[in-house]
Amino acid sequence: MKDLKADEYQLKAITYGNGPVCVLAGPGSGKTFVITHRILYLINTLKIPQNKILVITFTRNAAHSMRSRYLRISGMNDSFVTFGTFHSVYLRFLKFFGNDINLQNENTYLNGLIDEPEFDFDKILTDCYDMFNAHPERAEYIASLFPYILVDEFQDINPLEASILKLIINKNSNLFIVGDDDQSIYGFRGADGLIMKRFINEFKMEVIGLKYNYRNPYRIIDSSQKVISLNRERLKSFKPVSFARKNGIFFVKLFEDELSENRYIKEILKNTKENEKTAILLRTNREVTHYKRLLSDNGSNKEDLNGKISNDIRAYISFSLDHDRKSLIRILKNEEINIPHTVLTDSDIKLEDLAFKYVGKPFGNKLYSLNKNMNALKDLSPYAAVLYILKVIGYERFLIKTYIKDELNESLPIIKNITESSKECTSLKDLLNRLYVSEEDEKKNSPNICILTYHASKGLEFDNVILPDVNEGKVPQINIDNDKNFEEERRLFYVAMTRTVKNLYITAIKNEGNRILLPSRFIKPFI
């Protein structure tokens, strides 16, 4: 490891000997670099057999990316190190024991890259936990197979995933977890950043902080730390250091109204360099559509709006006929029903079953009503179907709630054209063909400009980041009801701030119609 270009903190984590370790890895600190070189160190220096190492990530893409990067730095074409998500790994354990596979052949079955399963993810977790609880000898056997377990993005773990992990950890634990509790932003999925703290205490883990930030200019680091340091439950006691000591631009501006704010954002976009990537990050999906119109040179996004409305209406009709996953995901986004897409794994999705699964949840009734509407929709004529989507299902209300005045005016002829066109259709299938707009035409965005939610930006980085509408009621959201959720809102804003490599622009408005708005409490130190 003599020639390894790692800083002192990365090197300490990579070359740690045996025993449990927690690596606190903030934005831009090189966590993937550390994990992949840690695997290499275990194999080449500590002489750990490859098939004794298990690497767990939270997404399929992360697992593939981690494995590819490891193979690249190791110079190998293949490896017996196992990479997979929690769900894919735990499913493999269930299959391993449930199918009475010969334990002597475990390496050919358990090792390698495990792909994401097409199953009910919640059931995988509960079944796996129940199996290991009922058969502790099975958990011990898995622990003997994988004495070295590395987990990425540990702050995103939920209690059940953590409970299973505890059952399969070797008594002489060599658990290596990497995460940042300041970036724990998936509470709505059950994630709990405090699990990291409990693991540290329970397993008496060595804690190593990666103190250098290779992404953010020092001005961004300083500002984002002023935001996140107000959270009470934090593991990091150190302030990250900007490795390159870059300055960067950091602006916080208040505008009288939305029009003034929009002009400012357009000016930023116009003046960005062609080879730079810029992101507009927003708290919810609701704002994303509005900001897409800023990407066109003339300030109008009419063609994009046509594609959006056509494909939205098409999704309702398509799902009523075929129950396809892609259409349902689009519908659920419009209806603001936040079901994890990983639950929607069947090729023929039954809304009735989903409504039953989420009975008692805030959106359980929405799913029940949606199911009734889909059953009614499939038997209507094309013209009646369009009117049903607009009036009964409430797509018109969605447009009014989502778009500002100019866009609503643009939407009227689009809706009228669709309605009139539906009268000429002989069937719903015929209407589907007429409504089709390709994804390329719908997404006529500049390749160097992205519009994403704060959540979707996690793990990404951009040359320039714009955070508009940072007002109370939006950031943090108005319905925050306890300190735990409020601190997650603060972490979410911190994640958004730290996506930039160069410049960060934050804006808020003072007036919205007749309402007086206040800037978010998160940006008060900078005003």
Side-chain angles (χ1 to χ4, degrees):
M1 305 296 285
K2 289 181 180 178
D3 299 327
L4 182 62
K5 294 180 180 179
D7 65 49
E8 57 191 292
Y9 307 106
Q10 291 174 337
L11 193 62
K12 183 178 179 181
I14 292 167
T15 61
Y16 190 82
N18 290 311
V21 186
C22 172
V23 179
L24 298 180
S29 59
K31 68 178 181 64
T32 304
F33 173 86
V34 166
I35 293 172
T36 50
H37 282 86
R38 170 68 176 172
I39 299 167
L40 210 57
Y41 180 79
L42 291 175
I43 296 167
N44 293 343
T45 303
L46 298 188
K47 305 302 179 185
I48 307 302
Q50 293 182 37
N51 60 8
K52 295 294 183 183
I53 301 170
L54 171 63
V55 183
I56 303 177
T57 67
F58 277 82
T59 67
R60 182 191 337 194
N61 287 342
H64 281 264
S65 175
M66 190 79 72
R67 184 175 186 269
S68 297
R69 189 159 172 181
Y70 161 68
L71 290 175
R72 189 165 64 250
I73 65 169
S74 67
M76 294 186 291
N77 294 322
D78 203 356
S79 170
F80 286 108
V81 176
T82 299
F83 297 80
T85 65
F86 271 110
H87 294 100
S88 61
V89 168
Y90 290 168
L91 176 66
R92 187 63 64 93
F93 293 162
L94 285 168
K95 285 185 172 182
F96 180 84
F97 292 108
N99 292 340
D100 295 324
I101 293 170
N102 187 338
L103 296 184
Q104 298 305 312
N105 297 322
E106 74 277 355
N107 288 343
T108 60
Y109 188 74
L110 279 175
N111 294 101
L113 179 66
I114 306 176
D115 270 329
E116 198 79 19
E118 294 294 327
F119 290 92
D120 183 329
F121 285 11
D122 292 339
K123 194 172 189 305
I124 292 171
L125 296 181
T126 54
D127 284 0
C128 193
Y129 180 75
D130 291 344
M131 177 187 72
F132 285 139
N133 250 350
H135 302 281
E137 74 282 359
R138 294 183 179 182
E140 289 176 13
Y141 185 77
I142 293 297
S144 70
L145 286 183
F146 297 113
Y148 290 84
I149 299 178
L150 298 85
V151 185
D152 187 23
E153 301 282 14
F154 198 82
Q155 76 279 350
D156 294 335
I157 199 168
N158 69 38
L160 191 51
E161 290 164 343
S163 297
I164 299 169
L165 186 61
K166 285 182 182 180
L167 294 174
I168 62 170
I169 292 174
N170 193 288
K171 289 177 183 176
N172 301 314
S173 169
N174 291 298
L175 180 66
F176 188 91
I177 65 175
V178 180
D180 180 12
D181 59 315
D182 286 341
Q183 297 187 76
S184 179
I185 59 173
Y186 296 111
F188 66 92
R189 294 181 189 167
D192 184 355
L194 292 178
I195 293 175
M196 280 182 74
K197 189 174 185 178
R198 292 196 282 272
F199 262 69
I200 290 170
N201 294 333
E202 186 173 342
F203 293 96
K204 298 179 173 57
M205 305 183 89
E206 175 80 9
V207 178
I208 301 172
L210 302 185
K211 297 186 180 180
Y212 285 115
N213 180 323
Y214 292 87
R215 176 192 300 156
N216 305 134
Y218 74 86
R219 188 177 293 177
I220 308 302
I221 293 174
D222 184 62
S223 302
S224 62
Q225 285 299 307
K226 286 178 181 176
V227 171
I228 199 63
S229 63
L230 296 178
N231 273 6
R232 297 174 187 172
E233 295 283 354
R234 296 181 67 225
L235 288 172
K236 286 206 296 289
S237 58
F238 60 88
K239 178 181 175 181
V241 177
S242 177
F243 184 80
R245 299 296 295 172
K246 297 178 293 184
N247 191 349
I249 292 173
F250 174 64
F251 279 152
V252 178
K253 288 183 176 289
L254 298 182
F255 295 92
E256 286 299 323
D257 51 32
E258 186 179 54
L259 190 61
S260 304
E261 182 186 48
N262 285 351
R263 286 199 197 100
Y264 178 71
I265 293 171
K266 287 180 185 178
E267 197 64 26
I268 294 172
L269 296 177
K270 190 170 73 173
N271 291 325
T272 53
K273 298 175 182 176
E274 285 187 11
N275 62 339
E276 290 187 345
K277 294 183 74 172
T278 300
I280 300 175
L281 304 183
L282 302 149
R283 176 61 186 86
T284 67
N285 276 311
R286 189 181 300 174
E287 291 100 35
V288 168
T289 304
H290 160 59
Y291 277 93
K292 282 185 178 179
R293 70 194 297 268
L294 294 173
L295 297 183
S296 57
D297 292 334
N298 61 4
S300 171
N301 208 26
K302 187 172 183 178
E303 200 161 348
D304 178 67
L305 194 60
N306 177 63
K308 165 77 172 131
I309 293 174
S310 296
N311 281 335
D312 278 352
I313 292 175
R314 193 175 189 276
Y316 285 100
I317 297 170
S318 178
F319 184 77
S320 74
L321 297 174
D322 300 323
H323 297 177
D324 59 301
R325 182 178 187 269
K326 187 176 181 180
S327 294
L328 181 59
I329 288 173
R330 190 175 189 112
I331 293 168
L332 294 178
K333 184 177 177 180
N334 287 347
E335 300 287 333
E336 295 184 320
I337 299 175
N338 295 315
I339 293 175
H341 294 174
T342 51
V343 173
L344 310 174
T345 55
D346 295 336
S347 56
D348 181 22
I349 299 170
K350 293 180 173 59
L351 275 176
E352 187 177 6
D353 293 343
L354 277 179
F356 181 77
K357 179 182 177 70
Y358 289 100
V359 66
K361 298 283 186 183
F363 45 78
N365 288 337
K366 279 188 174 183
L367 287 169
Y368 178 75
S369 297
L370 190 58
N371 181 52
K372 285 179 63 179
N373 285 328
M374 291 298 102
N375 288 333
L377 186 62
K378 62 183 174 61
D379 296 322
L380 298 176
S381 69
Y383 177 63
V386 171
L387 292 181
Y388 193 87
I389 292 166
L390 293 171
K391 307 292 184 182
V392 180
I393 294 177
Y395 187 68
E396 275 188 348
R397 292 194 298 273
F398 164 76
L399 292 176
I400 292 168
K401 185 171 65 172
T402 304
Y403 296 106
I404 61 174
K405 184 177 178 181
D406 288 348
E407 289 170 321
L408 279 175
N409 290 337
E410 290 174 10
S411 72
L412 293 176
I414 296 170
I415 291 172
K416 184 178 179 181
N417 182 55
I418 291 172
T419 306
E420 292 300 315
S421 179
S422 69
K423 294 178 182 178
E424 303 169 5
C425 296
T426 56
S427 67
L428 291 180
K429 290 283 187 183
D430 184 19
L431 179 58
L432 285 178
N433 291 331
R434 293 205 185 200
L435 288 173
Y436 176 74
V437 176
S438 71
E439 290 185 2
E440 291 75 18
D441 285 339
E442 185 184 347
K443 298 175 181 177
K444 286 181 177 290
N445 293 344
S446 164
N448 289 332
I449 300 175
C450 298
I451 302 181
L452 302 167
T453 62
Y454 292 177
H455 279 107
S457 73
K458 175 77 163 56
L460 304 177
E461 60 180 44
F462 308 91
D463 295 293
N464 310 292
V465 169
I466 304 168
L467 306 180
D469 301 336
V470 184
N471 287 92
E472 283 291 310
K474 289 185 178 180
V475 184
Q477 290 193 301
I478 199 167
N479 57 352
I480 299 303
D481 55 0
N482 59 52
D483 289 344
K484 182 179 179 182
N485 290 340
F486 179 76
E487 293 210 344
E488 178 155 323
E489 286 283 312
R490 192 188 296 278
R491 292 194 295 270
L492 193 52
F493 187 64
Y494 169 76
V495 166
M497 290 182 73
T498 54
R499 297 309 92 198
T500 184
V501 175
K502 295 180 180 177
N503 307 314
L504 176 62
Y505 307 89
I506 300 174
T507 65
I509 60 176
K510 298 177 183 178
N511 301 287
E512 187 175 65
N514 296 323
R515 286 197 309 146
I516 296 175
L517 300 182
L518 296 174
S520 168
R521 67 194 76 183
F522 297 160
I523 61 172
K524 282 189 176 177
F526 315 121
I527 297 175

